[in-house]
Amino acid sequence: MSWVSKTLNSTLGRKLLMALTGLFLILFLVVHLAGNLQLLIPDGGESFNIYAETMAKNPLIRVVSIGNFAFILIHVVYSIMLSRYNKAARPIGFAESKANTNSAWASRNMGILGTLILIFLLVHLRGFWYEFKFGEIPTAVYEGVTYKNVYLIVAEAYSNPLYVLFYVVSMGFLAFHLSHGFASAFQTLGLNHAKYSPLIQKVGIGFSILIPALFALIPIMMFLQA
């Protein structure tokens, strides 16, 4: 077995992959949010439709999109492996009781939070990404150029109060997941310093509140404006 295989199959290697894929997904959230916020521009969806079409036709974005799916898969698989390893290595009883008193709720339930977020992603991808790629979407013309009117698909979904509620609750799960995962990723990469760690934790808490809140704001605003 090569050193690469040994590293990837070691506990440290798995944690490193979790940290790296997690940080990539955090960066993706920021980029994705920047695009989605264009849904709130009061121009009938023109800005968002042009943005969506431009991103879909960009070769670099296609490569990043494939990488994003791969990183999500790696993040999920390795989180399951680490959870099973930790559960098998942890004595029952005293250790579990001590963990409950010494760790935050989010850190003790990262597996559950991750599973709930994965369910949201599958529903979200089926409703939007799949429809954009393979569904029959009406078109809109801006300055003589025809675009897929993805805005209509999104607006229709966000007119459903149950879906809006599902989305907002899922963003709550994401907030808890990020509240632990953000700082944990930096710590795994060895960026653990008495001077900088408190700052990283504060930034992580702010990020875990702001980003999910802005994501949740989009369907709420569109529902209220429908």
Side-chain angles (χ1 to χ4, degrees):
M1 183 180 293
S2 67
W3 68 269
V4 176
S5 297
K6 289 181 180 179
T7 300
L8 293 179
N9 285 290
S10 67
T11 302
L12 177 59
R14 292 170 184 173
K15 288 183 177 180
L16 284 173
L17 272 177
M18 283 286 292
L20 291 172
T21 54
L23 289 174
F24 175 87
L25 294 174
I26 284 172
L27 179 61
F28 170 77
L29 284 176
V30 176
V31 176
H32 191 51
L33 175 62
N36 281 10
L37 284 173
Q38 296 185 61
L39 286 163
L40 299 182
I41 298 176
D43 60 359
E46 180 178 346
S47 297
F48 181 75
N49 287 334
I50 294 175
Y51 158 79
E53 191 86 7
T54 302
M55 295 291 280
K57 292 182 177 179
N58 188 315
L60 177 60
I61 297 302
R62 291 178 181 177
V63 173
V64 173
S65 179
I66 294 172
N68 186 53
F69 286 127
F71 288 151
I72 290 174
L73 181 61
I74 292 171
H75 199 74
V76 170
V77 170
Y78 273 81
S79 67
I80 293 172
M81 294 171 65
L82 282 171
S83 294
R84 289 183 174 179
Y85 174 82
N86 291 335
K87 187 174 182 180
R90 186 189 306 123
I92 301 174
F94 173 76
E96 289 186 350
S97 177
K98 190 177 177 88
N100 288 339
T101 59
N102 291 343
S103 59
W105 180 86
S107 68
R108 300 195 306 271
N109 295 278
M110 289 294 280
I112 295 174
L113 290 168
T115 301
L116 294 171
I117 294 168
L118 179 61
I119 293 172
F120 164 77
L121 280 176
L122 294 174
V123 173
H124 192 64
L125 287 172
R126 174 61 184 86
F128 297 109
W129 179 85
Y130 182 86
E131 287 298 320
F132 181 76
K133 293 292 185 181
F134 307 108
E136 295 183 4
I137 300 177
T139 58
V141 179
Y142 309 119
E143 298 183 358
V145 181
T146 302
Y147 297 87
K148 289 184 177 181
N149 199 341
V150 190
Y151 179 85
L152 287 181
I153 305 299
V154 178
E156 182 179 356
Y158 291 164
S159 67
N160 184 339
L162 292 179
Y163 188 81
V164 172
L165 178 62
F166 169 69
Y167 194 108
V168 172
V169 171
S170 297
M171 290 305 99
F173 296 144
L174 176 62
F176 278 110
H177 194 73
L178 289 171
S179 69
H180 174 71
F182 189 99
S184 179
F186 284 96
Q187 184 175 359
T188 299
L189 294 175
L191 301 176
N192 191 15
H193 190 277
K195 183 177 180 180
Y196 302 113
S197 291
L199 176 61
I200 292 174
Q201 290 177 350
K202 289 178 181 178
V203 171
I205 293 298
F207 184 92
S208 67
I209 294 173
L210 179 63
I211 300 301
L214 288 175
F215 269 115
L217 178 67
I218 296 170
I220 292 174
M221 291 295 294
M222 293 186 70
F223 174 76
L224 294 176
Q225 293 170 3

